[in-house]
Amino acid sequence: MNAPSELGGFLRSRRARVTPPAAGLPDRGRRRVAGLRREEVAELAGVSLVYYTRLEQGRARNPSDAVLAALGRVLRLDPAEQAHLRDLARGVRAGAPATAAPQPRPAPYGRTCGAWWRRSVPCPRTS
């Protein structure tokens, strides 16, 4: 599973957990979706519906910490879930290193003289 679909699945599952009365919204009876609607989450978090939809669909690039904190507040995430949300939004997978180990760079050509080269041709001096 890739990071955008993981982020969308995480947001949808947490949105389904929060009921309108728990979020301070009036209960209007029967709903087609469990929990909050997208527009309710967007309004409570202070972001546009289009932007929140793009986040759920994995099309938003690099959401700010303020947006992620607002979503965490609206979705009533605990600290571990907030950290997981940040990791998913940043594209970091759980258990994978955040950055790859640096690869050694080869020495520039002409500055090193291998033993085989020194035997046949004198090594040029560099200053």
Side-chain angles (χ1 to χ4, degrees):
M1 201 178 224
N2 61 13
S5 62
E6 288 178 21
L7 176 62
F10 182 75
L11 289 172
R12 280 187 298 278
S13 70
R14 297 317 183 262
R15 181 167 55 91
R17 283 191 330 190
V18 181
T19 62
L25 298 172
D27 190 10
R28 297 210 167 107
R30 193 170 133 93
R31 301 169 67 89
R32 292 184 66 192
V33 295
L36 297 176
R37 295 181 177 109
R38 280 182 179 163
E39 55 267 17
E40 293 167 337
V41 173
E43 182 180 341
L44 292 170
V47 298
S48 73
L49 173 60
V50 172
Y51 185 69
Y52 180 74
T53 302
R54 286 175 47 211
L55 273 174
E56 257 194 23
Q57 294 173 346
R59 295 184 297 131
R61 301 281 184 224
N62 202 15
S64 70
D65 289 333
V67 167
L68 296 175
L71 289 173
R73 178 182 44 80
V74 170
L75 299 174
R76 306 200 184 295
L77 302 180
D78 63 30
E81 290 173 325
Q82 288 178 355
H84 185 64
L85 175 63
R86 280 192 305 276
D87 289 346
L88 289 175
R90 302 292 182 246
V92 177
R93 295 191 188 270
T99 58
Q103 298 295 321
R105 294 181 59 167
Y109 181 77
R111 297 218 177 186
T112 60
C113 292
W116 64 273
W117 182 259
R118 274 185 250 144
R119 276 183 259 142
S120 59
V121 178
C123 185
R125 301 270 186 234
T126 58
S127 9

